[in-house]
Amino acid sequence: MNYSTLKKGLAVSFVALMGATTLASAQDSPATSSSAKVFGGRAQYRSWSIGVNGGVLSPFVAIGGSNDFTNFDVNLGYGISLRKQLGHAFGLEGNIFRGKVSGTNKDAVGGAVNGVKAFETEMQYSIDLRGVVNVATVDFLRRENSVNFFVTAGYGLVAYNPIVDGKDNKGKFGEDKDKDFVKEAYIPVGAGVKFKVSDRVSFNLGYTMHFIDGDNFDGVYAKATTKDKFSYGYAGLEFSLGSKSKPNLDWVNPLALMYDELKDPSLRQEVEALKVRVSSVEKSVEDLKKDSDGDGVADQFDKCPGTPAGVAVDGSGCPLPKVEVAVVDASNVTGFERIQFEFNSSVLKTDSYPTLDKLSSVLRDAGGKVTVNGYASSEGTAAYNLKLSKDRANSVKTYLVNSGVNASQVITKGHGEANPIASNDTEEGRIQNRRVESARN
């Protein structure tokens, strides 16, 4: 792997971290008090922290695997970290550490493998960028936790110099022929637990495995397809940065915080007020639906309360007028009697048949022509009523033609609302105006 390309990639990663945190800060609204809210944004918390650590480096890892040496030495490692917590459960962390990793083959037969007895690798530096995920907490129902478990994974670069059996191998394995240290990429994967010491300080215990993209970390090429690795078990202190008036985001439990907000007195008052408003609306709806006399019109709109059961009413709850239907004596019918229609209808009523039959007989026997004039009451628009009156006149003509009258003998005209024979201000008058009148030419 090209060192300069990898170095540029790491630089871009750290710049991206700084840019992301700057953008996040710009998007979050500023906190106005030390009391954090669930939906108040990250700006109400302290989210930056710096840490120091120290521990033991080993060429072995906890998950096992092949190794070029049978034994490891206890060597000190130390480092620093800078972390930005992006949420309650996730953060980005940059790490730099140094140390020495060494091992021997003292437990091997003859104290050597392939003629190699021991190695010692000095790390000039190891730098990486990791994602940190808080996976669990002991004090789950507390607003602020005191114990957090975490896992980490990332990408990094290590510069080192392997010494095998006392022989310095500076520059021997470097692809770029670096005369001091070999540079290789690695993948760090780890886990740990964090204990809250105070609002500012936490104590961390962790373990990280580092998988190197090469087989030269211990100075021995065992197989062309194998990769070297080393581990770092450490303890350290982490210090939260920022205003002391803000809580540390790393320790805030959002579920417990939400539960705590639900107990807020002002919120409860708002909920109770909302219940009262809902009850008032429900009562109003019930009042709108109430129909004491059962006529189908709600009491609030009923202008004639107490209507007897079974009485037909209009839209205001008042009884509809009774229309006396005249019984036509067929022996006295002339054929020119007025023909009535229902509201908004051009369908002939059966009680008009005797009149139409008589008119048909007159036209067929005596000949001549007749003008059929259609009319309408004043409900609706004038244009619609004109069309309705024409339809009524045409219904009469259709009946006459079907009974044997020549179509040329019947002339139809529609007059709409014109020439009312009664007032359109009353239902009785409107009923009379829905008519057809025939006149001999």
Side-chain angles (χ1 to χ4, degrees), residues 114-161:
N114 296 324
V116 179
K117 296 181 178 179
F119 86 96
E120 178 182 294
T121 296
E122 175 190 358
M123 288 190 293
Q124 176 67 10
Y125 62 82
S126 179
I127 179 171
D128 60 60
L129 180 65
R130 307 177 190 177
V132 182
V133 180
N134 292 333
V135 294
T137 173
V138 174
D139 300 319
F140 186 73
L141 292 180
R142 295 183 60 184
R143 181 165 181 156
E144 291 193 1
N145 311 319
S146 58
V147 180
N148 275 347
F149 296 95
F150 61 87
V151 294
T152 64
Y155 187 80
L157 175 72
V158 59
Y160 59 87
N161 177 43

Side-chain angles (χ1 to χ4, degrees), residues 221-400:
Y221 281 105
K223 294 180 181 179
T225 58
T226 61
K227 304 287 186 179
D228 283 335
K229 51 195 174 294
F230 69 94
S231 62
Y232 181 40
Y234 61 89
L237 295 176
E238 188 174 327
F239 304 91
S240 177
L241 306 176
S243 172
K244 65 180 181 179
S245 64
K246 300 179 182 180
N248 186 352
L249 178 57
D250 198 37
W251 292 109
V252 175
N253 185 321
L255 294 180
L257 182 62
M258 181 176 292
Y259 178 78
D260 189 59
E261 285 189 5
L262 291 177
K263 297 186 295 184
D264 186 273
S266 61
L267 180 59
R268 288 187 174 274
Q269 291 175 4
E270 292 178 8
V271 172
E272 293 302 321
L274 183 59
K275 287 181 179 179
V276 173
R277 292 176 60 187
V278 170
S279 298
S280 177
V281 171
E282 290 177 344
K283 184 178 182 304
S284 298
V285 171
E286 291 301 320
D287 290 342
L288 286 173
K289 293 164 58 179
K290 188 176 181 180
D291 181 13
S292 300
D293 55 11
D295 61 0
V297 179
D299 289 353
Q300 290 196 15
F301 306 104
D302 198 339
K303 296 181 179 179
C304 299
T307 304
V311 175
V313 299
D314 58 17
S316 62
C318 294
L320 290 172
K322 293 183 180 180
V323 179
E324 298 295 336
V325 179
V327 177
V328 179
D329 184 357
S331 62
N332 296 322
V333 171
T334 65
F336 293 93
E337 285 78 12
R338 186 180 300 124
I339 298 173
Q340 304 293 148
F341 290 83
E342 295 291 346
F343 169 73
N344 194 29
S345 173
S346 60
V347 178
L348 293 170
K349 297 196 293 184
T350 56
D351 59 13
S352 66
Y353 292 168
T355 299
L356 293 172
D357 290 340
K358 181 63 176 180
L359 180 58
S360 173
S361 176
V362 169
L363 291 174
R364 284 186 283 111
D365 295 342
K369 294 184 178 182
V370 67
T371 299
V372 179
N373 298 290
Y375 300 91
S377 56
S378 62
E379 298 98 327
T381 65
Y384 180 81
N385 289 330
L386 179 60
K387 177 181 180 301
L388 182 60
S389 67
K390 291 179 180 179
D391 291 341
R392 287 170 175 168
N394 286 326
S395 293
V396 171
K397 180 176 181 178
T398 300
Y399 187 96
L400 295 174

